[in-house]
Amino acid sequence: MKITVLGCGSIGKLWIAALTLQSHEVQGWLRVPQPFLDVCVDNINGNPFYQRITANQLDWLKQSELLIVCLKSWQVSDAVNALLPYLSAQCPILLIHNGMGTADELTATKNSVIRPILQGIITHGAYQQGQDVIHTATGITHIGPLNHAAQQYSYLAEILHHALPDVAWHNDIHTISWLKLAVNCVINPLTVYYQCRNGDLLRYPEHIQKICDEVYLVMEREGVVPTSQAHLHGYIIDTIEQTANNYSSMYQDVKYQRHTEIDYITGYLLRRASEQGLVLPENNRLFQFIKQQEGNYDHISA
Ligand code: KPL
């Protein structure tokens, strides 16, 4: 398959390496165009990977049969919209990021209405050390259609699974996206608030419960109901335990004075709540808190 990966951070590079090893033709696409990209991953399915990969080739993009987008949520719509004029109308666009709402921004633009858009939610752990990617934990990538046009692309799950297992297809990706959103609404802003690793949040059970209860109200109104409030809470606690040693992405964004994904995490939740006539005091407070942190930066970096 001919593939373009837009966004070449740690997750983008994992996919580039894994798909290249399966003999797919994969190029990277960088914000600042360059003809090639060195991809070095310490461990991809048991082996190290080092290769110089093609980047930013327009003909390759035009012929691509899959566009994988591994950008921060706030970068997605501008970056994808810039590529749409060159993409074939049948090329599925797989969005892998934290938060929700980017697909609404894409489908709101005239040219992308009929394009197949899929959501991916990934639990692999990886980070960049200089130019190298350290793949700290294997995990699962859940994918599913965000619009009607994408429903016929379930075969992608198998192709992706061969490259970087596990990959699971879900006809209803919405529920999984909401569960991940709930996790991010709790862990991400709270780790900034308490300046701690994910696991340390277990010291603040009441605060976790408050956020979780508010998220559940919105999920209920959205018709996305995990079996019970206790189930949602248990799912969040499990994730905190499984990622106990992590510094959340938002903690790191604030630490390095980068734009956070708060508008697509708590911000998305609050927009949905307001449409349903719900008020969420605790999530609103945390949203304002993160905005205040961003406002205190000396400068903002991407
Ligand atoms: O998605 C994450 C993030 O940090 O953005 C979690 C699941 C909270 C893991 O750290």
Side-chain angles (χ1 to χ4, degrees):
M1 243 183 138
K2 209 150 187 142
I3 300 171
T4 295
V5 175
L6 169 61
C8 301
S10 52
I11 297 296
K13 283 179 176 163
L14 271 192
W15 281 111
I16 290 174
L19 289 161
T20 302
L21 282 170
Q22 286 292 309
S23 306
H24 295 291
E25 296 174 72
V26 191
Q27 75 157 340
W29 197 276
L30 301 134
R31 195 168 27 137
V32 180
Q34 44 182 77
F36 59 81
L37 166 75
D38 288 327
V39 177
C40 182
V41 182
D42 68 333
N43 177 1
I44 200 88
N45 304 325
N47 295 301
F49 177 94
Y50 175 77
Q51 259 188 54
R52 180 158 281 192
I53 298 290
T54 302
N56 294 74
Q57 296 297 308
L58 203 54
D59 281 344
W60 195 305
L61 179 66
K62 288 178 182 166
Q63 292 160 14
S64 289
E65 297 153 281
L66 172 63
L67 177 71
I68 303 182
V69 182
C70 300
L71 292 168
K72 292 280 192 178
S73 45
W74 55 269
Q75 297 172 317
V76 170
S77 62
D78 281 354
V80 174
N81 283 331
L83 300 191
L84 287 183
Y86 309 103
L87 270 192
S88 112
Q90 292 77 37
C91 176
I93 302 170
L94 171 60
L95 306 174
I96 301 180
H97 58 72
N98 272 339
M100 292 175 76
T102 55
D104 301 339
E105 293 172 351
L106 288 178
T107 46
T109 66
K110 205 170 150 215
N111 287 336
S112 61
V113 171
I114 44 126
R115 287 175 190 273
I117 303 176
L118 301 107
Q119 180 74 58
I121 294 140
I122 189 162
T123 67
H124 284 258
Y127 67 92
Q128 297 224 80
Q129 198 168 63
Q131 291 306 305
D132 298 352
V133 176
I134 315 296
H135 188 187
T136 50
T138 55
I140 182 160
T141 307
H142 301 279
I143 70 168
L146 282 175
N147 59 7
H148 187 71
Q151 283 172 359
Q152 59 181 296
Y153 289 91
S154 58
Y155 68 87
L156 284 176
E158 204 174 320
I159 292 172
L160 296 174
H161 178 78
H162 278 122
L164 189 65
D166 289 330
V167 176
W169 175 263
H170 302 265
N171 288 324
D172 174 20
I173 195 70
H174 198 57
T175 302
I176 297 178
S177 298
W178 266 97
L179 282 173
K180 182 71 189 333
L181 189 83
V183 162
N184 288 129
C185 282
V186 172
I187 299 181
N188 294 32
L190 275 191
T191 50
V192 180
Y193 189 77
Y194 290 114
Q195 284 293 291
C196 65
R197 290 180 196 257
N198 295 0
D200 299 328
L201 292 180
L202 295 173
R203 292 193 218 131
Y204 311 101
E206 283 166 18
H207 210 164
I208 291 174
Q209 188 75 54
K210 254 194 210 168
I211 302 165
C212 188
D213 290 351
E214 291 185 359
V215 176
Y216 187 81
L217 279 180
V218 184
M219 288 175 77
E220 226 180 0
R221 294 274 178 101
E222 290 280 312
V224 188
V225 192
T227 42
S228 66
Q229 210 158 342
H231 173 264
L232 179 64
H233 184 257
Y235 181 76
I236 291 170
I237 297 295
D238 285 352
T239 311
I240 291 177
E241 284 170 356
Q242 280 157 17
T243 63
N245 278 328
N246 282 20
Y247 283 109
S248 79
S249 55
M250 196 171 285
Y251 174 96
Q252 295 181 56
D253 286 341
V254 171
K255 180 171 176 193
Y256 297 109
Q257 305 205 337
R258 295 187 300 233
H259 197 148
T260 73
E261 296 182 292
I262 195 73
D263 288 323
Y264 295 83
I265 297 176
T266 313
Y268 181 80
L269 177 83
L270 293 173
R271 288 195 293 282
R272 297 306 311 152
S274 130
E275 287 200 11
Q276 295 154 358
L278 290 169
V279 179
L280 311 181
E282 195 50 43
N283 280 283
N284 195 38
R285 207 167 70 83
L286 282 171
F287 179 79
Q288 300 304 339
F289 171 75
I290 298 296
K291 285 288 178 189
Q292 209 174 48
Q293 298 295 304
E294 288 185 332
N296 290 342
Y297 294 169
D298 307 327
H299 61 277
I300 193 154
S301 48

